[in-house]
Amino acid sequence: MKLFIILWLGQMISAIGSGLTSFGLSVYIFRETGSAFYVSLIALASFLPFLLISVPAGILADKHDRRALMVIGDGLSALGVLYILIAIALKLPFIHIIIGSIISSAFSALLEPAFKATISDLLTKEEYAKAGGLNGLSSGARFIISPLLAALLLSFSSIRLLLIIDMLSFIPTIIAALMIRKRISRKNIKSDKDSMLTGFKALRKNKGLLVLTIYTSLLTFFMGTIQILSEPMILSFSTATILSITEVMCASGMIVSGALISKRGIKNSYRVALCLSLFLAGVAMVGFGSTLNMFIIVPFGFIFFLSIPYANTALDYLVRSNIERSEEGSIWGAIGFISQLGYVFSYSISGYASDYLAKIINVSVGRGCSLIIAFGGIILAILALIMLSFSSIRRLESA
């Protein structure tokens, strides 16, 4: 667990740095364009390469040193951030910011399956839930520390400073991975299968995992609406400072639940915890998108973030308990690819849908965003309850 903590701290610092860039770019692009579509386009450019490369990255994690892959992925992703910095400094066309986001995302894809597989190298099955809670805390730090720090820095500087700090934040992760690499022997259980289809074939053998993964893709489609539209929604009627404070207050829910999970774990059914937490997230999205009143937005946003670590931890446990170590990286890559396809489609259409809806019904862009978020929440809550009836997913818990 001590070695995992070292790696986790490095990851959290890197996540905070990435959060600075994410927040800064959202504010910068919305100020320049006034469009939710362009904000979603940058999010898509930051996400799609990561998704496409996750499958081959998973295979590499099974066949090569996972810690080395983490160093390479995190280190080279800084090149994309550097490209964005140069593009903004030289006032190059918008397409160059997209190119930089693609570069950074592509190299970051090497990190994720290697990091997930390393958790199994370091921890016992009984420690998985606590690790999931800690990972929830690091994700929460990105939404709490990053917006506050970004708003503070933007008050006297520009997005360039945020990008520089992001590049420097990769260093702790690299150091942590190198430390762990020296202190543990390489225990990767090598797979003799080179095919990019290895992870997909392994998923097909386990009906419960396949159903869970495909269904999760459907859920992420609707969850993606609040993730991509909340910032332009709030920026449409407030400032970057107000946005940062709102994000911090909402994301503190993730810190609360992450701390509870890391201390107590999940005592009852992981399947039930997954479904109910996603149902709660859907209800929170409906409340979040019901108005542009900050006194209503904040508490519902808090509830949404409160539910996410429980869903992620339950999903992680159900998957990790039903896969073979020899193909773990490949399977994580396949699962990540399928389950997050929903985000790709959501990021592709939600921004355009919000702008179009606002124009059709003659309301502000922010109101168009809020209506799309509320609709996504209704569908998410319904789908989460339906998932409780799936017997194939129920059997995963008894494995």
Side-chain angles (χ1 to χ4, degrees):
M1 196 69 181
K2 290 181 180 179
L3 293 178
F4 169 75
I5 294 295
I6 293 173
L7 187 61
W8 171 75
L9 286 173
Q11 282 292 99
M12 182 170 66
I13 294 173
S14 179
I16 291 172
S18 298
L20 291 177
T21 294
S22 178
F23 183 92
L25 283 178
S26 294
V27 173
Y28 176 80
I29 292 169
F30 191 77
R31 283 176 174 174
E32 292 292 317
T33 66
S35 169
F37 171 69
Y38 284 105
V39 175
S40 65
L41 191 60
I42 283 294
L44 181 63
S46 299
F47 186 77
L48 183 57
F50 181 94
L51 182 63
L52 294 177
I53 297 176
S54 63
V55 176
I59 296 173
L60 289 175
D62 283 339
K63 299 185 67 63
H64 299 284
D65 190 322
R66 291 163 179 169
R67 272 60 68 183
L69 287 173
M70 292 175 65
V71 171
I72 294 171
D74 226 16
L76 294 182
S77 63
L79 294 177
V81 181
L82 176 61
Y83 191 94
I84 295 173
L85 176 62
I86 294 173
I88 291 177
L90 298 180
K91 297 183 179 180
L92 298 178
F94 180 72
I95 185 64
H96 290 278
I97 298 179
I98 293 179
I99 292 173
S101 298
I102 291 173
I103 294 171
S104 182
S105 175
F107 284 116
S108 294
L110 295 175
L111 174 68
E112 186 70 11
F115 175 69
K116 285 183 175 291
T118 295
I119 293 176
S120 297
D121 290 338
L122 297 174
L123 303 179
T124 64
K125 185 176 180 179
E126 290 72 24
E127 293 172 323
Y128 289 168
K130 289 186 177 181
L134 288 172
N135 286 333
L137 284 174
S138 64
S139 299
R142 170 174 178 164
F143 291 103
I144 290 182
I145 298 176
S146 297
L148 281 180
L149 182 57
L152 175 63
L153 295 174
L154 288 174
S155 67
F156 65 85
S157 185
S158 68
I159 189 176
R160 301 179 193 178
L161 180 58
L162 304 185
L163 295 171
I164 292 172
I165 294 175
D166 185 15
M167 288 188 289
L168 295 176
S169 71
F170 294 122
I171 296 176
T173 299
I174 294 173
I175 294 174
L178 290 174
M179 288 175 60
I180 291 176
R181 191 184 183 200
K182 289 181 178 180
R183 294 182 64 177
I184 62 174
S185 59
R186 185 174 178 272
K187 296 295 185 180
N188 291 17
I189 305 173
K190 288 187 177 181
S191 172
D192 57 359
K193 300 177 182 179
D194 295 324
S195 173
M196 288 183 62
L197 298 177
T198 297
F200 294 102
K201 290 178 180 178
L203 268 182
R204 192 173 59 183
K205 295 177 184 177
N206 189 320
K207 182 180 178 182
L209 276 184
L210 182 60
V211 171
L212 178 62
T213 303
I214 294 175
Y215 204 75
T216 301
S217 178
L218 187 60
L219 295 171
T220 56
F221 174 81
F222 295 103
M223 291 181 68
T225 59
I226 189 172
Q227 295 189 14
I228 196 60
L229 297 179
S230 58
E231 289 183 342
M233 168 185 158
I234 296 172
L235 284 172
S236 69
F237 65 90
S238 66
T239 64
T241 300
I242 296 298
L243 172 62
S244 69
I245 295 173
T246 302
E247 286 195 3
V248 168
M249 295 176 69
C250 293
S252 61
M254 186 176 288
I255 297 295
V256 171
S257 56
L260 290 173
I261 295 171
S262 62
K263 182 177 180 180
R264 301 179 180 179
I266 296 178
K267 302 298 184 182
N268 299 315
S269 169
Y270 283 87
R271 177 183 62 89
V272 173
L274 174 63
C275 297
L276 293 185
S277 58
L278 289 173
F279 172 77
L280 185 62
V283 172
M285 285 175 60
V286 176
F288 188 94
S290 64
T291 180
L292 299 182
N293 186 320
M294 296 300 296
F295 292 102
I296 297 177
I297 290 173
V298 170
F300 279 109
F302 177 88
I303 295 171
F304 176 81
F305 279 102
L306 184 75
S307 66
I308 297 304
Y310 281 98
N312 287 339
T313 300
L315 180 63
D316 183 270
Y317 181 90
L318 291 173
V319 172
R320 197 178 295 278
S321 301
N322 287 271
I323 58 180
E324 296 290 335
R325 290 285 303 281
S326 61
E327 299 173 337
E328 188 169 353
S330 300
I331 295 175
W332 276 119
I335 290 173
F337 179 84
I338 297 173
S339 64
Q340 297 185 73
L341 275 175
Y343 286 129
V344 173
F345 290 107
S346 183
Y347 293 175
S348 299
I349 68 175
S350 58
Y352 176 80
S354 298
D355 288 349
Y356 183 76
L357 179 63
K359 182 178 180 180
I360 290 297
I361 63 176
N362 195 28
V363 296
S364 67
V365 171
R367 188 57 183 154
C369 291
S370 69
L371 291 173
I372 296 295
I373 290 172
F375 174 76
I378 293 172
I379 305 301
L380 175 62
I382 294 173
L383 292 175
L385 291 180
I386 293 175
M387 189 165 60
L388 275 172
S389 64
F390 288 4
S391 59
S392 57
I393 296 178
R394 185 183 302 115
R395 286 192 291 268
L396 292 176
E397 202 154 25
S398 59

